[in-house]
Amino acid sequence: MSHPVMNRKRALVSDTFMVKKRRNGSETFGAVSDGDGLGPTDVRSTLEYLRTLFPRKLFNDALPQIVLKHQLYSIHNDKTLVDKEVNRLREEGSLLMFQLGFDADAFGLVLTSDYKAKVLAGEEGKVTQATVERFLEKVVSVCTDLSFTKDKMLREFLFTDSEITQLVKSGVLTVRDAGSWWLSIPNSGKFTKYFIKGRKAVLAMVKKSKYGEVLKAEIEERKTNSQVKFHMKYHIHDIVGAELVESIPTTSGTLLRFVDS
């Protein structure tokens, strides 16, 4: 007597071999159908959607809502289009990009208005407040650089050595190497810590599943452990966009398959 659960699993495995396996975001779940009603070219709408998945309460709403650039790739097939639109939004001054530090290819995206509001709220009443306000106005508002050299800070933006020290203390700059600094998000260390732990935990869930693959709908419904503090969808968009898993459309729904690095 055939067992219905076993039959379903056999059908699922069979389905995965019927579809053409394609990586590089060419068959991503968002592009097929994620139920979010997002247009294929509206990167700004996708950005807004991903921002809603950011766990604001976890950080007492002190951090701006951070989206990783590669999360956009989990929804849009065309990476060039995404990069072009992200650059356009940066150049018009509505979006900021940050090198997050834990991976050379991991870039955080934050709305400029959100970043300024959170930074100013955190600086209220501090001795560094005036210097940080000038930095936001004279540098962040007009420059799309991810990092700044000492020469540029001194000669072009006219900050003194002691003011640069204040900017580092406030967290809007972080040391890149001797004589240069990354633009940074104050107090984002906890975000990075929780994010990396969560990513590892979600990847482990996929890897430990039978055949190293699991339906997206199934993993979204799983109860998360203490390692996963973010919305499960936030992590799924991350691991798909970073190509740590393959996203394969099947008749049973979108399948996530672990990728051996």
Side-chain angles (χ1 to χ4, degrees):
M1 181 177 174
S2 63
H3 196 285
V5 174
M6 288 302 295
N7 285 343
R8 181 174 174 274
K9 287 190 174 180
R10 286 194 195 103
L12 177 58
V13 173
S14 175
D15 283 339
T16 67
F17 291 100
M18 287 170 66
V19 296
K20 188 177 181 182
K21 300 171 193 173
R22 290 156 64 188
R23 279 193 67 198
N24 299 322
S26 57
E27 285 289 358
T28 58
F29 65 78
V32 177
S33 176
D34 195 33
D36 297 308
L38 298 173
T41 58
D42 194 348
V43 173
R44 180 62 187 255
S45 293
T46 308
L47 193 61
E48 290 296 338
Y49 158 67
L50 291 169
R51 287 180 73 240
T52 67
L53 301 179
F54 184 80
R56 293 167 62 176
K57 288 182 180 177
L58 184 62
F59 305 104
N60 298 316
D61 208 20
L63 285 182
Q65 289 159 280
I66 302 168
V67 171
L68 294 149
K69 187 172 79 160
H70 65 257
Q71 286 176 313
L72 295 165
Y73 301 155
S74 73
I75 294 175
H76 294 281
N77 294 339
D78 191 341
K79 291 184 180 182
T80 303
L81 172 82
V82 170
D83 293 348
K84 188 176 179 180
E85 183 63 10
V86 165
N87 287 336
R88 188 187 70 79
L89 293 169
R90 290 175 64 209
E91 284 164 11
E92 75 175 26
S94 61
L95 192 68
L96 295 173
M97 190 158 83
F98 303 83
Q99 196 346 296
L100 294 177
F102 60 86
D103 187 330
D105 297 322
F107 297 97
L109 302 175
V110 172
L111 292 187
T112 306
S113 56
D114 196 14
Y115 177 78
K116 288 181 176 180
K118 299 303 182 191
V119 170
L120 290 173
E123 281 296 307
E124 197 169 346
K126 294 183 179 178
V127 294
T128 51
Q129 183 176 351
T131 304
V132 170
E133 285 177 352
R134 186 156 67 90
F135 178 76
L136 294 177
E137 182 187 345
K138 302 291 185 185
V139 181
V140 174
S141 295
V142 299
C143 185
T144 59
D145 291 358
L146 297 182
S147 65
F148 307 95
T149 63
K150 183 172 184 177
D151 188 62
K152 191 164 189 172
M153 289 296 291
L154 295 174
R155 295 173 184 271
E156 187 174 331
F157 298 123
L158 304 177
F159 284 88
T160 64
D161 280 326
S162 61
E163 286 174 331
I164 294 171
T165 301
Q166 287 183 23
L167 294 173
V168 173
K169 185 181 178 183
S170 71
V172 293
L173 290 180
T174 187
V175 176
R176 178 179 181 177
D177 51 38
S180 72
W181 302 268
W182 292 110
L183 177 67
S184 62
I185 304 168
N187 305 309
S188 59
K190 188 181 282 188
F191 162 81
T192 302
K193 178 184 172 184
Y194 288 164
F195 172 78
I196 292 171
K197 275 189 177 180
R199 171 192 269 191
K200 286 179 179 176
V202 174
L203 274 176
M205 289 180 200
V206 179
K207 187 176 183 180
K208 289 175 183 175
S209 298
K210 194 171 184 181
Y211 308 115
E213 53 193 34
V214 63
L215 283 171
K216 180 177 78 77
E218 182 188 320
I219 199 167
E220 281 180 354
E221 292 168 6
R222 284 192 191 177
K223 285 186 177 179
T224 56
N225 57 32
S226 60
Q227 300 294 303
V228 184
K229 298 183 184 295
F230 292 5
H231 197 298
M232 184 63 88
K233 281 188 176 183
Y234 192 91
H235 283 300
I236 292 173
H237 283 295
D238 162 52
I239 62 176
V240 172
E243 297 178 9
L244 299 172
V245 298
E246 285 183 273
S247 176
I248 304 168
T250 77
T251 55
S252 303
T254 301
L255 189 78
L256 304 180
R257 175 180 291 152
F258 184 77
V259 175
D260 285 314
S261 55

